[in-house]
């Protein structure tokens, strides 16, 4: 029960931070971090897939309501939630997600977390930008936007992860 309450509180805080602060950040005029993505990345992997998809959709839908993006965030979040277990299996080097309750720095090493966060940030930003633009007319600018958003979002998410989940050394 305590874990459920922590996840709900994390969702509320991250969505509020996204809507009130991060949505107003436009570094270089076009780079905006997707802090709310952290709530999806930290979900327990043992949740049923249908619950994960529902949480992903609702999270994206809430952001869409306030950002007026017509379902783009919801679609990108659903794709992230669909690919997340496959990425965990790939990064673990075996065909299972066992041994990974939640992908956090205290449980996984830095290289694993870096790859996990950056790959899923890229997937989210790629589908978000491609669905929003819906054109190959300015492909160079679109790819630059995806890469810049991915790097900035990944940097912000990793900083938040390592601030709130510090690595504890065994003594």
């Amino acid at each position: 029960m305590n874990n459920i309450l922590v996840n709900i509180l994390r969702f509320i805080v991250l969505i509020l931070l996204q809507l009130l602060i991060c949505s107003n950040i436009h570094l270089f005029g076009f780079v905006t971090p997707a802090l709310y993505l952290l709530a999806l990345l930290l979900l327990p992997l043992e949740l049923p897939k249908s619950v994960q998809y529902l949480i992903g959709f609702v999270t994206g839908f809430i952001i869409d309501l306030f950002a007026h993006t017509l379902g783009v965030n919801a679609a990108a979040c659903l794709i992230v939630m669909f690919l997340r277990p496959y990425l965990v299996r790939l990064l673990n080097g075996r065909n299972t997600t066992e041994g990974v309750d939640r992908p956090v720095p205290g449980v996984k090493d830095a290289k694993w977390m870096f790859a996990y966060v950056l790959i899923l940030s890229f997937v989210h930003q790629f589908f978000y930008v491609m669905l929003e633009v819906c054109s190959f007319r300015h492909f160079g600018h679109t790819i630059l936007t995806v890469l810049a958003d991915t790097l900035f979002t990944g940097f912000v998410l990793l900083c938040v992860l390592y601030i709130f989940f510090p690595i504890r050394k065994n003594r």
Side-chain angles (χ1 to χ4, degrees):
M1 184 66 178
N2 190 22
N3 194 18
I4 294 171
L5 188 61
V6 167
N7 281 324
I8 291 171
L9 184 61
R10 182 184 307 125
F11 267 91
I12 292 169
V13 168
L14 288 172
I15 288 175
L16 286 175
L17 285 173
Q18 178 69 39
L19 294 174
L20 298 175
I21 297 172
C22 293
S23 293
N24 297 317
I25 297 173
H26 303 292
L27 192 64
F28 305 118
F30 64 94
V31 179
T32 303
L35 184 63
Y36 70 94
L37 190 57
L38 187 61
L40 300 177
L41 299 183
L42 291 178
L43 280 175
L45 293 167
E46 292 84 28
L47 283 176
K49 285 185 179 184
S50 58
V51 174
Q52 291 183 34
Y53 296 154
L54 181 64
I55 291 171
F57 175 77
V58 169
T59 303
F61 185 72
I62 290 170
I63 300 297
D64 284 330
L65 281 176
F66 291 96
H68 307 292
T69 50
L70 302 173
V72 175
N73 280 298
C77 289
L78 276 172
I79 292 168
V80 166
M81 295 311 288
F82 174 76
L83 294 177
R84 192 172 80 117
Y86 298 108
L87 179 64
V88 169
R89 287 183 191 124
L90 180 72
L91 291 175
N92 281 343
R94 54 184 184 254
N95 197 19
T96 182
T97 58
E98 285 183 28
V100 183
D101 296 338
R102 279 189 351 216
V104 294
V107 176
K108 302 308 283 177
D109 65 345
K111 289 188 289 188
W112 195 97
M113 288 304 302
F114 187 76
Y116 177 73
V117 168
L118 277 183
I119 291 170
L120 288 179
S121 293
F122 175 78
V123 167
H124 178 272
Q125 295 301 338
F126 178 79
F127 283 101
Y128 173 81
V129 171
M130 293 307 286
L131 288 170
E132 186 177 49
V133 172
C134 236
S135 169
F136 290 105
R137 177 172 258 167
H138 303 286
F139 188 71
H141 179 62
T142 302
I143 292 300
L144 177 65
T145 301
V146 168
L147 293 176
D149 276 344
T150 298
L151 292 175
F152 191 53
T153 296
F155 175 75
V156 169
L157 295 182
L158 285 169
C159 287
V160 170
L161 272 172
Y162 281 99
I163 288 171
F164 289 103
F165 296 99
I167 299 172
R168 291 171 177 78
K169 295 183 180 180
N170 295 334
R171 294 183 183 180

